[in-house]
Amino acid sequence: MIGLISATAAGAAARDRLAAAWPDRVRVYDGPVGDAVRRAFAECEQLVCFLATGAVVRLIAPLLGDKATDPGVVCVDEGGRFAVSLVGGHGGGANELAREVGELLAVEPVVTTATDAVGVPGLDTLGFPVEGDVAGVSRALLDGEPVALKAELAWPLPPLPVAAEGTYTIRLTDRLVERAAEREVVLRPPSLVVGVGASKGAPVDEVLGLIESALGDAGLSPASLAELATVDAKADEPGIVEAAARLGVPLVTHSAEELAAVEVPNPSDAPLAAVGTPSVAEAAALVRGGELLVPKRKSERADGQPAMATCAVVRRPGRGRLAVVGLGPGARDLLTPRATAELRRASVLVGLDQYVDQIRDLLRPGTRILESGLGAEEERARTAVEEARKGQAVALIGSGDAGVYAMASPALAEASDDIDVIGIPGVTAALAAAAILGAPLGHDHVSISLSDLHTPWEVIERRVRAAAEADIVVTFYNPRSRGRDWQLPKALAILAEHRKPTTPVGVVRNASRPDESSRLTTLGALDPATVDMMTVVTVGNTATRDIAGRMVTPRGYRWQASQEGAK
Ligand code: SAH
């Protein structure tokens, strides 16, 4: 819950806008400000105070405890110009909240936490537990001192400016570490899965004791525990449910059928009779793959009675992540926030050099950039997939939408199901051009690439003809280059067999780039020599009109008829 506190009418107005936008997230604290801040501080995870920072500092000073547990506090000034992340930037989420509030109220977010300001992710914001000298190593990263990454297992991490050797160390491990060495932090990836079986009524202490001793004896850290896993029939077994809750991890269940299909070293008859699979603990731990670190073991009971719980421990490999990111047609403000987030999350960036230039300033220090020139498409796709398979977080970029005449299909043709693939849509050249021209895509439309490098001309011609016959608006991509100059005139001639010479044609070059230009002409008047590879050409259908210099395709023929009637 986010507590909202204001003192003046201006503050209350801004507060009410937040409250209206986030009805389920916020609670308004009325009454005397001091009292309101104290109550909200005790009750909420976050506060937004529409007050001067000085006032808020004085009010919360006596309340501050631990930065890991204190609420995050954001101040919005009375003038409505800034949203200041005051305390709890990382742990309390105040930096993120300041950005969100900034976006909603159209005020500038002010974030002063060093790691966020310079683009190094805070070590405590990577999404998994961290132990050791967080402050010291973070400072070293910021100061550019050599920090070595010692990864004992592959895991997709955001970029960190690390070196092979260093006086500081970031250690990535799921093994027990007595105490982090000086100048060292230990990151705990969620790599361990404990499979659990239990007979009806098994006490939670017995289940929990078994899990803890299994991890401890194998030298594994409970901080790297991702989940407990068991069979569907045990989804409500109180000892297992409570053990997961106390360990702070989800309980995941699988059907007996699924578990019975998993090969395990120690099957037995007892669970087969009870729940229909020869193994619960080992099979549930292994069902999503991984390496069995601790084979099935049973709990020990002080009273000498038969064991009521079994468990097994598996280490799952980190799943690599391949984000296929569309950068939009060129302009920075047509790059989506989601694309930006993916670019900053990836530790490896793969793309054509000219596209890398488009977003280089957004990349975090330490991002490994694998750029190549025109033509090396297949190789880029393969590289991106290979890096993801190694467990890296990879972004493969393309202009416009990366799935449109671009990298997504060659990459997915290479990819197998051992990596996560995330597609981030981008604004295509066709859409950017259409917005410049007016509303040419108001009815059915297609894009056709005139590049016959990958596609035989017969195929292209057949598609152009089909579009011509079906009276569909066409956007031509890759329309004309130095070596390919006859294709565009030929394609236009085919369209002209079915459309009048007065049909509007929009030519847009470098849409949304600094040297953008556009022209509205007609099928009869277009000079193909004015078209190049930075251009898209949009040809209207028989209903498309030039209305006040804008290219407009009606949504349907009734509308068109009424327009005609009005003339
Ligand atoms: N994935 C891209 C298309 C890549 S194919 C997209 O979704 O838009 C390359 C062709 O796209 C170029 O030859 C040109 O025809 C067109 N193109 C790309 N960016 C453009 C822009 N900013 N303005 C005009 N045409 C563009």
Side-chain angles (χ1 to χ4, degrees), residues 459-507:
V459 173
I460 298 173
E461 186 171 322
R462 181 148 36 90
R463 291 179 184 173
V464 175
R465 205 168 287 289
E469 284 164 5
D471 198 26
I472 296 174
V473 176
V474 182
T475 300
F476 290 114
Y477 274 74
N478 302 305
R480 183 171 176 277
S481 65
R482 219 169 299 145
R484 285 187 308 104
D485 57 4
W486 55 265
Q487 287 85 347
L488 179 63
K490 174 83 195 168
L492 294 172
I494 295 170
L495 291 178
E497 292 169 22
H498 299 266
R499 300 178 197 185
K500 290 187 196 150
T502 53
T503 304
V505 174
V507 179

Side-chain angles (χ1 to χ4, degrees), residues 363-502:
L363 301 176
R364 286 194 142 132
T367 308
R368 194 147 55 88
I369 301 175
L370 305 175
E371 50 192 319
S372 45
L374 267 176
E377 287 219 344
E378 308 285 317
E379 191 192 320
R380 269 199 298 281
R382 206 167 315 120
T383 306
V385 171
E386 273 166 17
E387 291 291 334
R389 280 231 182 89
K390 288 184 206 158
Q392 304 277 4
V394 181
L396 176 63
I397 58 172
S399 86
D401 183 273
V404 174
Y405 307 124
M407 295 307 295
S409 31
L412 299 204
E414 299 283 333
S416 42
D417 65 2
D418 57 348
I419 57 171
D420 292 327
V421 175
I422 293 97
I424 315 294
V427 176
T428 63
L431 292 179
I436 292 164
L437 294 167
L441 308 184
H443 209 274
D444 300 332
H445 54 276
V446 289
S447 292
I448 297 180
S449 167
L450 292 183
S451 167
D452 51 1
L453 297 177
H454 300 288
T455 312
W457 175 253
E458 294 74 38
V459 173
I460 298 173
E461 186 171 322
R462 181 148 36 90
R463 291 179 184 173
V464 175
R465 205 168 287 289
E469 284 164 5
D471 198 26
I472 296 174
V473 176
V474 182
T475 300
F476 290 114
Y477 274 74
N478 302 305
R480 183 171 176 277
S481 65
R482 219 169 299 145
R484 285 187 308 104
D485 57 4
W486 55 265
Q487 287 85 347
L488 179 63
K490 174 83 195 168
L492 294 172
I494 295 170
L495 291 178
E497 292 169 22
H498 299 266
R499 300 178 197 185
K500 290 187 196 150
T502 53

Side-chain angles (χ1 to χ4, degrees), residues 329-330 355 399-402 404-406 427-430 476-479 508-513 533-536:
Y355 298 152
S399 86
D401 183 273
V404 174
Y405 307 124
V427 176
T428 63
F476 290 114
Y477 274 74
N478 302 305
V508 179
R509 184 168 192 276
N510 280 327
S512 92
R513 296 180 188 145
M533 281 295 277
M534 318 291 206
T535 310
V536 281

Side-chain angles (χ1 to χ4, degrees), residues 319-371:
R319 271 176 82 81
R321 181 184 167 89
L322 175 63
V324 186
V325 183
L327 302 182
R332 178 54 55 85
D333 58 357
L334 292 181
L335 174 72
T336 67
R338 193 182 293 190
T340 306
E342 280 299 335
L343 296 173
R344 296 171 63 77
R345 171 177 184 153
S347 59
V348 181
L349 183 89
V350 183
L352 186 65
D353 40 18
Q354 72 193 65
Y355 298 152
V356 177
D357 285 340
Q358 201 174 314
I359 45 86
R360 203 180 293 272
D361 60 300
L362 291 174
L363 301 176
R364 286 194 142 132
T367 308
R368 194 147 55 88
I369 301 175
L370 305 175
E371 50 192 319

